[in-house]
Amino acid sequence: MDKLKIAIQKSGRLYEDSIKLLKDCSIEINIGIDKLKTTALNFPLEILFLRDDDIPQYLEDGVADIGIVGKNVLLEKRKKINIKESLGFGKCRLSIAVPKSLIYKNINDLNGKKIATSYPFLVKKFFRKKCIKSDIHEISGAVEIAPGIGLADCICDLVSSGSTLFMNGLKEVETILKSEAVLAANINLTFSKKIIMNKLLFRIRSVKQAKNNKYILLNAPNKQLQSIISSLPGIKNPVILPLSNSKFSSVHSVINENDFWKIIENLKSLGAKDILVIPIEKIIL
Ligand code: ATP
Ligand code: ZN
């Protein structure tokens, strides 16, 4: 049987979450000592461990069929590949940062400044759109030290908490891209590989749905049953079961993580009791 080849980062910020995603999709893998590639035990998948920067090229060339990589890398490399799904991890932003001491009012303050970055294409595009003259210096790592050693006036780099910038005496002033890990694919997959990829995507979407939702069980006073049901926006038809106490019913539903506390407060104010909230492993819709 044909196997789908997935490229993931060999080590670094995306490695753990990429492996966890496969595990959450019930794909079993044994990672050998050399960690160059491995085969899944219960799914037609071969896993290639690569540097993240190389993944777009391998996907374009068909060396790998699909891959997990930051959107930032994909957009910078501009290869002919398809983005199939955002994965909700590896979240960061590509931002411009300047020395803390610089008084920054607006983007015009960047005019003519020397800017160090590993993302020359995205930075150039951003400045062109804003009609700002830029002097871009491409460097491949440790971008944040560039202003301190006199290599550039400011930088454009990936930021998540901002602590690295802070430690290097910099402040974030403009965000040029919001990024997260995505699943990307070669554009000419064979029919049988597409079938495997769609099976994997189906599992990934079920895992993602489950992560954003919680299963909720509660006891509702029958007098308030309709108001309680209408305050539960989750799954279309909640389960309603009678209880031995005929004044109450048991209500089961699914609620979204983002609205969680607002919904719980509302339910309590409507008289809901004994509310249980349970994590969900997968949601198949
Ligand atoms: P490699 O050795 O594979 O080339 P790397 O050092 O280039 O690794 P990492 O620092 O591990 O890459 O980052 C991989 C990806 O993680 C980034 O391209 C980005 O999509 C994401 N990421 C999330 N948060 C951050 C952050 N704060 N800084 C850098 N990358 C981040
Ligand atoms: Zn890299």
Side-chain angles (χ1 to χ4, degrees):
M1 192 194 189
D2 234 355
K3 279 194 169 59
L4 189 72
K5 281 184 265 177
I6 183 170
I8 68 169
Q9 196 188 17
K10 186 176 163 63
S11 63
R13 291 174 199 262
L14 302 181
Y15 172 74
E16 297 283 344
D17 285 323
S18 303
I19 295 289
K20 182 166 185 305
L21 179 67
L22 296 179
K23 288 201 171 140
D24 288 346
C25 291
S26 312
I27 294 171
E28 287 173 35
I29 48 174
N30 279 333
I31 300 163
I33 312 161
D34 63 344
K35 223 173 93 173
L36 290 174
K37 64 177 183 175
T38 189
T39 305
L41 305 174
N42 57 354
F43 196 83
L45 194 68
E46 198 173 346
I47 299 112
L48 312 178
F49 298 97
L50 299 167
R51 281 200 61 194
D52 68 341
D53 316 67
D54 298 334
I55 292 176
Q57 183 70 59
Y58 282 128
L59 286 176
E60 189 181 72
D61 296 346
V63 174
D65 302 311
I66 59 170
I68 296 177
V69 65
K71 204 171 157 193
N72 50 301
V73 173
L74 278 191
L75 295 181
E76 176 67 28
K77 302 277 178 189
R78 289 163 290 144
K79 301 295 172 196
K80 284 201 189 79
I81 46 187
N82 289 330
I83 294 185
K84 304 303 278 186
E85 187 76 19
S86 296
L87 299 174
F89 60 83
K91 287 193 177 170
C92 57
R93 45 198 193 275
L94 185 61
S95 289
I96 296 172
V98 300
K100 269 186 229 159
S101 54
L102 188 108
I103 298 164
Y104 185 86
K105 291 186 294 300
N106 58 45
I107 195 149
N108 293 319
D109 293 334
L110 297 173
N111 222 337
K113 291 266 192 287
K114 250 191 209 174
I115 179 159
T117 187
S118 311
Y119 294 86
F121 171 74
L122 291 174
V123 176
K124 206 175 281 173
K125 194 170 138 197
F126 174 78
F127 279 118
R128 203 180 300 132
K129 206 169 120 203
K130 300 279 179 188
C131 302
I132 303 283
K133 250 199 185 159
S134 58
D135 178 9
I136 297 167
H137 285 241
E138 183 178 353
I139 50 177
S140 58
V143 174
E144 64 283 353
I145 65 164
I149 59 171
L151 195 68
D153 303 309
C154 52
I155 66 161
C156 183
D157 203 8
L158 297 172
V159 186
S160 40
S161 69
S163 58
T164 310
L165 291 184
F166 185 80
M167 281 186 318
N168 285 284
L170 301 168
K171 62 180 177 190
E172 193 178 351
V173 291
E174 301 284 341
T175 297
I176 76 170
L177 174 78
K178 285 198 173 142
S179 181
E180 66 181 281
V182 295
L183 187 95
N186 172 273
I187 55 171
N188 294 316
L189 289 184
T190 61
F191 182 70
S192 60
K193 287 194 173 183
K194 264 189 201 152
I195 292 178
I196 307 171
M197 178 181 71
N198 287 336
K199 280 188 184 169
L200 179 63
L201 277 171
F202 178 75
R203 293 192 189 190
I204 290 174
R205 286 173 190 144
S206 306
V207 169
K208 266 176 68 185
Q209 283 261 12
K211 271 200 191 119
N212 293 333
N213 289 281
K214 297 269 183 278
Y215 193 81
I216 180 168
L217 295 99
L218 58 91
N219 293 340
N222 287 335
K223 273 196 242 159
Q224 294 284 19
L225 195 55
Q226 278 320 312
S227 323
I228 286 181
I229 292 170
S230 44
S231 74
L232 286 169
I235 268 172
K236 276 162 255 150
N237 299 309
V239 178
I240 320 284
L241 298 168
L243 290 173
S244 53
N245 177 343
S246 61
K247 289 190 179 134
F248 280 84
S249 298
S250 172
V251 178
H252 300 204
S253 188
V254 171
I255 59 176
N256 193 282
E257 184 75 33
N258 298 332
D259 313 319
F260 182 78
W261 287 111
K262 212 169 78 200
I263 296 171
I264 297 287
E265 280 161 19
N266 197 18
L267 289 170
K268 277 196 79 71
S269 71
L270 290 168
K273 287 195 186 338
D274 305 328
I275 304 173
L276 291 185
V277 180
I278 301 166
I280 302 172
E281 200 176 298
K282 295 183 182 65
I283 294 184
I284 320 291
L285 290 175

